[in-house]
Amino acid sequence: MFRALSHRNFRLFWIGAFLSNVGTWMQAVAQGWLMLQLTNSAFWLGLDAFMASAPAFFLTLLGGVFADLVDRRRLLIYTQVVAGVAALGLAICVSTGLLNRWIVLGFSFVTGCCMALASPSYLAMTFDLVGREDVANAVALNSSQFQLSRVVGPALAGFGFRLFGLAGCFYVNSLSFVAVVVSLSMVRLDPARGASKAPGHSVGDRRALWGDLLEGFRYVKNRPRVSSLLMISAVNSLFGAPYFALIPIFARDVFHLGATGLAWLMGMAGAGAFCGAAFLTIMGDLRRKGWLVLGGSLAFGLSVIAFALSVNLVLSYLFLFALGFAIVICVASANTLLQKLVTDEMRGRVMSMFLLSFMGTMPIGNIIAGAASHRFGVPYTLATGGLFIVLFAIAMMISNKRLRDLY
């Protein structure tokens, strides 16, 4: 169950990433409530989520090329330092009262740029840390720590609101980046596993970079199973991810909760996600992962619909739990399949496309959902998105035998 943690490098990476993610989720709760207080608008909530995820459009693929050319560990350290400074800057603005909606959007954009550049290296380095034999277990454990942070972070945010206010959550997040930077500094990678790159051209050679990028697209185009996995991820994110940006509206207007209540709603989705990741970790390298991807997508869509239309708080907690469980089963299984299907030379670029498939579509979904909520209402907007996911998952189940048969 925990065999990937027997690798020293992965163990350091895992602990540092967990502590950093706890801080990130604390800030996510605080920032959603802060923006709602500043604007009282679902549109601005969606716009803030858009600014955080929009850099994925133009930087994730570039980050994938870098992940195949440069030292992934060093790239991660640099981006995490910048993200930590951005979190500190936002904390200072909140605590001093020198804050408006535009400043929040600006810091969201800076952090989004860091994450877009770093994420392909984050995923690709998992293989560097453990090798092919333990990659499935490492992916499951990485997913477990991320989803556990979704439980711990919002729960700590709920207590933090009472102890030190919104600003304290931002300060904690800025400190949490120290953990991941220190852990990455202690990692010592084996050059044979791709940690040290010897590119045939300079990273500054723009023509060669574009050639590398186009080569990645051709690689995916010629592999239908890889492209199918990316399509499922994109549809889940485009139509389902807005639930996260719109939860503050449900907390305040549907269930009449405060900031602490919002933290518990977000934490329940995180609890479901953690249980989904723990399930994959306990069960080991399950077969029929194609069915796990498809079934997880279908269950995610149904749970989004159920949550969107629920007016009962207890049932909504259950639907959020199911929603988190299902999407992790889908995404983690797709991640494992991609890690096994692609070659080492293309790993960074393909993983950047995997990230782009949900990070790149997320801003589109957020901005559309935020605007549509003004006209049609938040519940109906979110339920319609869930319906699209359900219909697409069923269509893929019926028509794509090669995906169903993936192990």
Side-chain angles (χ1 to χ4, degrees):
M1 178 177 174
F2 300 109
R3 66 180 182 274
L5 291 175
S6 64
H7 299 266
R8 172 189 175 274
N9 287 329
F10 181 75
R11 189 165 60 249
L12 288 168
F13 179 69
W14 191 90
I15 294 171
F18 171 70
L19 294 175
S20 179
N21 285 329
V22 168
T24 297
W25 282 105
M26 288 184 69
Q27 176 164 322
V29 177
Q31 189 162 328
W33 194 254
L34 174 65
M35 184 58 83
L36 189 60
Q37 287 182 331
L38 289 173
T39 66
N40 193 35
S41 168
F43 171 78
W44 283 93
L45 282 171
L47 184 59
D48 185 42
F50 172 82
M51 293 300 290
S53 49
F57 273 129
F58 53 89
L59 289 180
T60 300
L61 292 178
L62 187 61
V65 174
F66 288 162
D68 286 331
L69 290 177
V70 304
D71 187 328
R72 294 166 184 163
R73 182 182 67 91
R74 187 172 300 174
L75 177 62
L76 285 171
I77 290 175
Y78 291 157
T79 54
Q80 299 313 293
V81 168
V82 175
V85 171
L88 179 60
L90 185 54
I92 293 172
C93 289
V94 174
S95 60
T96 59
L98 301 175
L99 187 73
N100 58 44
R101 65 190 70 179
W102 300 106
I103 292 176
V104 177
L105 294 180
F107 278 114
S108 293
F109 183 79
V110 171
T111 303
C113 289
C114 294
M115 296 304 105
L117 283 172
S119 295
S121 291
Y122 179 90
L123 291 184
M125 206 169 84
T126 302
F127 188 90
D128 299 338
L129 296 171
V130 300
R132 183 174 299 276
E133 182 179 351
D134 290 333
V135 69
N137 184 247
V139 167
L141 285 171
N142 255 341
S143 183
S144 295
Q145 64 85 3
F146 179 78
Q147 305 308 337
L148 180 59
S149 72
R150 289 186 63 185
V151 182
V152 177
L156 291 178
F159 291 114
F161 290 148
R162 298 178 179 179
L163 293 176
F164 39 71
L166 286 176
C169 294
F170 295 103
Y171 279 114
V172 170
N173 185 38
S174 66
L175 289 173
S176 73
F177 283 100
V178 175
V180 71
V181 170
V182 170
S183 67
L184 285 168
S185 300
M186 296 172 66
V187 166
R188 296 293 179 267
L189 290 169
D190 181 0
R193 283 184 176 172
S196 298
K197 308 297 178 186
H201 59 81
S202 168
V203 175
D205 187 340
R206 295 181 181 180
R207 181 174 297 181
L209 285 177
W210 278 110
D212 289 338
L213 186 58
L214 292 175
E215 184 182 4
F217 279 116
R218 287 192 293 268
Y219 181 86
V220 170
K221 180 182 177 181
N222 294 327
R223 286 158 179 79
R225 294 180 299 178
V226 172
S227 58
S228 294
L229 291 169
L230 299 183
M231 286 174 59
I232 290 175
S233 175
V235 170
N236 286 338
S237 178
L238 180 63
F239 296 109
Y243 90 88
F244 182 79
L246 297 174
I247 278 185
I249 299 292
F250 284 92
R252 190 190 65 179
D253 298 343
V254 177
F255 303 119
H256 309 292
L257 302 172
T260 302
L262 168 63
W264 286 110
L265 281 173
M266 295 176 69
M268 185 57 67
F274 170 69
C275 289
F279 170 78
L280 291 176
T281 304
I282 293 170
M283 298 305 295
D285 194 6
L286 288 170
R287 295 190 174 186
R288 296 290 184 182
K289 291 185 181 66
W291 276 111
L292 287 176
V293 173
L294 292 167
S297 179
L298 177 62
F300 175 62
L302 291 172
S303 299
V304 168
I305 295 172
F307 171 71
L309 301 179
S310 172
V311 293
N312 182 282
L313 181 58
V314 174
L315 288 178
S316 293
Y317 277 132
L318 294 176
F319 295 142
L320 282 171
F321 183 91
L323 179 155
F325 188 97
I327 192 60
V328 165
I329 294 294
C330 176
V331 172
S333 298
N335 186 356
T336 301
L337 286 170
L338 288 171
Q339 293 275 13
K340 291 187 173 183
L341 287 171
V342 304
T343 61
D344 293 343
E345 294 76 14
M346 288 290 174
R347 191 173 310 282
R349 276 163 281 186
V350 173
M351 298 319 293
S352 73
M353 293 180 199
F354 176 55
L355 287 165
L356 185 63
S357 67
F358 58 87
M359 289 178 64
T361 54
M362 195 178 295
I364 302 174
N366 284 329
I367 200 69
I368 291 175
S373 295
H374 268 295
R375 182 175 180 85
F376 304 108
V378 173
Y380 292 118
T381 298
L382 196 57
T384 301
L387 180 61
F388 275 111
I389 296 172
V390 168
L391 294 176
F392 184 80
I394 292 174
M396 292 291 281
M397 285 181 179
I398 295 172
S399 64
N400 198 327
K401 184 178 185 300
R402 293 194 70 189
L403 181 58
R404 295 198 308 266
D405 292 343
L406 275 175
Y407 279 82

